[in-house]
Amino acid sequence: MEYRLRIGEETRTFTIDAGGEGSFRVSCGESSFEVTCTRVSNHHLGLDINGRRVNAYIIRDDSGKTIAIDGVSYLVQDADRLEQAASGGKRRDESPGEVISTIPATVMAVRVAEGETVKKNQPVIVVSAMKMEMTLKAPYDGIVKKINVAVGENVMSGNVLVDIEKSG
C-alpha cells in the first residue's frame, strides 16, 4: 500500500507491505526497512527497525499525529487528506458509510454479506493486529453495498473494508 505523508514541511511517499503478526516492509525512495511493531500501550509502540529497537510515542490530534522517536518529535499528516481539505473536498474519514481499518491488520472474519441490511453498531469485520482483535461496526442502519476484503487479507490503515449505504 502506498502512502503520501507530510512530515514537517516535507512530503514523502512510503510503500508499506504487511507481513504477518505486526511485521512490515517499509520503503521510501531508495531506502527500505524491515519493521516489527509491538503495542506497549495506547500511545506507545515498540519498534524493531532493521534489528534496531526503538520506542515510538504517538499522540493524535486535529492536525495529525505527533510521533516521538528517540526524543525527537515529528508531526505526521496524510498529504492526500491535507490536499482534499484545502480544496474543500470530503475527507475519507468523514464518509460515514465506509468501514475503514485504522491500523495495519489482518482480516479475521467478515460478519456481513453484500446486500445485507445492518443495524448501527452491528459487527461487520473483525481484524487482528499485534495479537489483538478489533471488531469494526456499522456506523448506522443501512445496506452493505460492497465488501472490499476477504478473510486472511492484510490491510493497511485507511483501507476501506466495507461500503454501507445509509437507509431511511
Side-chain angles (χ1 to χ4, degrees):
M1 188 69 160
E2 194 170 275
Y3 294 93
R4 288 183 54 244
L5 301 176
R6 184 173 181 178
I7 303 171
E9 297 300 318
E10 187 176 343
T11 299
R12 296 181 185 176
T13 300
F14 291 85
T15 302
I16 302 175
D17 298 309
E21 294 299 315
S23 66
F24 310 91
R25 172 175 285 284
V26 180
S27 302
C28 181
E30 298 296 317
S31 300
S32 183
F33 307 92
E34 293 293 329
V35 179
T36 302
C37 179
T38 305
R39 181 178 298 275
V40 177
S41 69
N42 285 342
H43 301 284
H44 180 192
L45 298 177
L47 302 175
D48 184 302
I49 304 172
N50 288 345
R52 180 175 171 248
R53 185 79 176 157
V54 297
N55 288 301
Y57 299 90
I58 303 168
I59 298 173
R60 183 180 205 165
D61 60 27
D62 292 339
S63 61
K65 293 179 182 170
T66 300
I67 302 174
I69 299 175
D70 289 337
V72 179
S73 295
Y74 305 90
L75 175 60
V76 179
Q77 300 168 297
D78 183 321
D80 293 327
R81 287 185 181 173
L82 288 173
E83 289 171 9
Q84 285 175 344
S87 67
K90 191 175 198 180
R91 289 175 31 157
R92 184 169 238 179
D93 59 0
E94 291 174 347
S95 298
E98 298 174 339
V99 177
I100 297 174
S101 179
T102 57
I103 56 174
T106 301
V107 176
M108 302 305 290
V110 178
R111 303 269 188 231
V112 295
E114 288 183 10
E116 182 176 337
T117 299
V118 293
K119 295 287 186 188
K120 182 177 181 174
N121 293 323
Q122 177 180 333
V124 175
I125 296 275
V126 178
V127 295
S128 175
M130 298 175 273
K131 300 181 182 178
M132 182 172 61
E133 284 194 358
M134 182 170 42
T135 301
L136 305 178
K137 300 177 181 180
Y140 45 63
D141 294 352
I143 297 172
V144 177
K145 285 299 179 188
K146 185 156 176 49
I147 297 173
N148 301 308
V149 293
V151 173
E153 188 173 334
N154 291 322
V155 297
M156 299 305 293
S157 176
N159 284 162
V160 177
L161 309 182
V162 177
D163 291 305
I164 298 174
E165 182 178 280
K166 191 172 187 174
S167 62

